[in-house]
Amino acid sequence: MNKAASRKNGTWRNWAGNVTARPAREVAPASVEELSAAVRRAAEDGLRVKAVGTGHSFTAVAATDGVLIRPQLLTGIRKLDREASTVTVEAGTPIKRLNLALAREGLSLTNMGDIMEQTVSGAISTGTHGTGRDSASIAAQITGLELVTADGSVLTCSAKENPEVFAAARIGLGALGVITAITFSVEPLFLLTAREEPMSFDKVTDSFDELCTENEHFEFYWFPHTGNCNTKRNNRSAGPEHPVGTVRGLYEDEFLSNGVFRAANHVGRAVPATIPSIARISSRALSARTYTDIPYKVFTSPRRVRFTEMEYAVPRAALVETLRELKAMVDRSPLRISFPVEVRTAPADDITLSTASGRDSAYIAVHMFRGSPYQAYFSAAERIFTAHEGRPHWGKVHTRDAAYLAGTYPRFGEFTALRDRLDPERRFGNDHLRRVLGE
C-alpha cells in the first residue's frame, strides 16, 4: 500500500485522509535555485508556500491554498563526512532510503521512529521520535540545516552558524522556511537485540521507571478493555546477528499485525460491541520473541492499517499516573477502542519547540481505525493529558492553540520572535499555524 499522501482532481490529501487542500499550483523543484525561484514567484503572486512530504502528519500543518512544494526531486546524499561522522542529505530523501544508504556504508542513525516512509525534512519538522533513555528524537541528531527563507535566500545554520535559527528550525513546523538539506550525526553500524514479550498493565506501570532505566530503548502497547500489554526492549548487542526468520516475520509482522488486525478493525467498526472481545484476543496474539539485527530493522516496522492518531508528551515522572487515569476513563466509559495505546520515552533536549524541550518526557499515543469516529475518545484523553502539562505532538491531532502552547513551552516566545524576523509576511503560514503559533 502506498503510504504517501495522494492528489486527485487537484485536491491534496494526507496519508490518513483526514486533511485536504486545493493548492493554486504545485512545484517540484530539482535544485535549491529552482526552489528559491518558486518562493520568490509565490511572493510576487501574493501566494503562500508550503512544502509537503509524504503527508504523514495528521494535522493541516502542510496544507495550503497557495503553492505546494513537492521535494521528491531533492533527494539523495549530498556529502558523507566520515571524519566528522556526519551525512548531509537532500530534504526530500525518504528515511527508508537514507537508512539503506547508510547501512551500505557501514553507518547508522543513533535512533529513529517506528516508520520510515516519511521524508527526512517532514519527519524532523514535526518532531518525529522513537523511544530512548539517552536518545529519541530524529531532530536531536541534526548538526546542520539549510533552508530557503521567505525572500528566497538560502540560510545555513548550525550550533555555531546562526545558532538561534538552528535551535528552532530543527523542529520548525515549516514556519521558518523550506528546508533543502539536513546534516545528521551518524555512527558506525551496530546491532540491537530486541526482546518482545507480553506483560500485564499493572506490572508495566509498577516497574516503569526500572524498565526505562535498565534498557536503552523501552516501549509498550496497552490494549484498551484489557489489562494486557506488549513490551519491547531494544539494547545494543555484540552479536551475532540473529534476525527474525522470514516465515515468522511474514506471519507475525504482516499476517497478524497488519492483515488480521485490519480485518478485526473492520469488524469492530461495523459492530463496536465486539471490540472488547477482539482486544482480548489481539492482546494475546503475539508471543514473546528475541532477535538481533541492524538498527532500522529493529526500530521500524510496517504500518499498513490506516488510522487517526493523537499523541501527547507528559513529564516522564507523570507517565504512570496519566496512563492509569486514561485506563480508568476508558474502563468507565461507553467508548470502544480497537487500537492499542503506545507509550515511549525521550530525554530532555535543547530544541526550542521539541516536545521534550527542557524536560525528560514520556509519550502516550492514542489511535482510532481510519473512518471510525475519534472525537469523543481523543477529547477525553486530551483532557487528561493537558491536566498533566502535556505537549501535543506537532504532527498529530490535537485542539490546543497558541495560548495553551505558550504556557507549556518556556521558549515559545523565542520561536515566534524568530518567525517574525524570518517570515514577517507569513509567506509560510496557513490556518493551522495561525492557531498553534498565533498571529
Side-chain angles (χ1 to χ4, degrees):
M1 180 182 291
N2 180 10
K3 281 182 170 288
S6 64
R7 186 178 189 272
K8 187 176 181 180
N9 300 324
T11 299
W12 172 84
R13 296 179 185 276
N14 67 340
W15 176 81
N18 67 314
V19 177
T20 61
R22 291 185 65 86
R25 63 173 178 259
E26 293 190 14
V27 180
S31 66
V32 175
E33 291 74 21
E34 286 185 16
L35 199 159
S36 294
V39 171
R40 286 193 295 269
R41 184 185 167 201
E44 292 168 2
D45 295 342
L47 296 173
R48 295 187 292 187
V49 178
K50 296 304 295 181
V52 64
T54 55
H56 261 273
S57 173
F58 297 90
T59 73
V61 66
T64 187
D65 57 2
V67 178
L68 190 70
I69 304 288
R70 289 191 176 273
Q72 65 259 33
L73 300 180
L74 296 173
T75 63
I77 292 178
R78 187 184 286 186
K79 181 182 180 182
L80 180 60
D81 188 334
R82 291 186 180 275
E83 186 175 336
S85 296
T86 61
V87 62
T88 301
V89 294
E90 303 285 346
T93 307
I95 294 174
K96 183 175 185 176
R97 194 178 303 172
L98 173 61
N99 283 334
L100 290 168
L102 288 175
R104 284 196 298 268
E105 297 290 339
L107 300 168
S108 177
L109 295 172
T110 297
N111 202 349
M112 61 197 75
D114 61 2
I115 58 173
M116 52 181 181
E117 269 66 32
Q118 315 105 305
T119 61
V120 290
S121 56
I124 68 158
S125 293
T126 53
T128 295
H129 62 90
T131 188
R133 180 186 62 205
D134 308 308
S135 67
S137 169
I138 297 178
Q141 298 167 70
I142 295 172
T143 63
L145 278 176
E146 177 186 271
L147 67 160
V148 172
T149 57
D151 62 1
S153 60
V154 180
L155 179 70
T156 57
C157 59
S158 66
K160 294 181 178 179
E161 183 180 11
N162 296 308
E164 75 289 354
V165 178
F166 182 66
R170 282 175 286 170
I171 299 180
L173 314 184
L176 304 178
V178 179
I179 294 173
T180 50
I182 304 166
T183 300
F184 290 102
S185 174
V186 294
E187 58 177 298
L189 193 65
F190 55 92
L191 292 174
L192 285 171
T193 291
R195 177 183 169 192
E196 300 175 2
E197 65 176 337
M199 192 177 292
S200 73
F201 180 91
D202 289 339
K203 185 175 181 181
V204 173
T205 52
D206 286 345
S207 55
F208 178 72
D209 287 337
E210 180 182 335
L211 287 164
C212 290
T213 301
E214 293 180 351
N215 295 282
E216 291 176 78
H217 311 276
F218 174 70
E219 64 185 307
F220 68 93
Y221 293 85
W222 163 61
F223 291 79
H225 312 298
T226 80
N228 304 326
C229 297
N230 279 345
T231 65
K232 184 175 183 180
R233 285 168 260 198
N234 298 332
N235 290 286
R236 296 200 182 208
S237 169
E241 198 169 314
H242 183 68
V244 176
T246 302
V247 173
R248 185 171 186 179
L250 286 172
Y251 178 71
E252 294 187 340
D253 297 330
E254 290 292 351
F255 179 69
L256 289 180
S257 296
N258 284 297
V260 172
F261 187 58
R262 180 189 292 112
N265 272 277
H266 277 290
V267 172
R269 187 172 65 187
V271 189
T274 63
I275 287 176
S277 296
I278 292 173
R280 286 190 290 273
I281 296 170
S282 298
S283 67
R284 295 188 175 95
L286 297 176
S287 57
R289 65 179 183 177
T290 301
Y291 54 96
T292 301
D293 215 328
I294 60 175
Y296 81 84
K297 293 184 179 180
V298 174
F299 285 132
T300 69
S301 55
R303 289 283 185 270
R304 309 195 198 286
V305 183
R306 300 206 181 199
F307 52 83
T308 307
E309 180 178 2
M310 168 184 282
E311 182 178 62
Y312 265 76
V314 298
R316 209 189 89 171
L319 180 278
V320 171
E321 181 183 356
T322 307
L323 191 61
R324 285 173 175 163
E325 289 177 16
L326 181 69
K327 184 177 186 298
M329 180 275 290
V330 171
D331 287 346
R332 67 172 179 262
S333 77
L335 294 168
R336 293 294 175 260
I337 314 302
S338 62
F339 253 81
V341 172
E342 183 180 24
V343 178
R344 295 176 286 177
T345 65
D349 63 41
D350 63 350
I351 303 171
T352 311
L353 288 188
S354 167
T355 44
S357 182
R359 74 183 190 192
D360 292 338
S361 300
Y363 297 91
I364 304 176
V366 297
H367 314 70
M368 284 291 278
F369 184 47
R370 181 177 176 176
S372 300
Y374 61 82
Q375 289 83 356
Y377 177 35
F378 285 12
S379 294
E382 193 172 40
R383 284 193 292 272
I384 294 169
F385 300 152
T386 54
H388 291 278
E389 300 181 347
R391 296 170 178 170
H393 188 298
W394 294 109
K396 299 177 185 180
V397 174
H398 68 91
T399 67
R400 299 299 89 185
D401 60 13
Y404 174 88
L405 296 165
T408 57
Y409 284 91
R411 300 171 68 183
F412 189 85
E414 180 183 325
F415 186 95
T416 55
L418 181 64
R419 182 194 187 203
D420 287 342
R421 176 162 69 83
L422 293 179
D423 187 16
E425 296 182 358
R426 302 296 186 260
R427 184 66 49 210
F428 303 116
N430 61 13
D431 292 343
H432 178 78
L433 291 181
R434 185 180 301 114
R435 172 166 70 87
V436 298
L437 296 178
E439 294 293 345

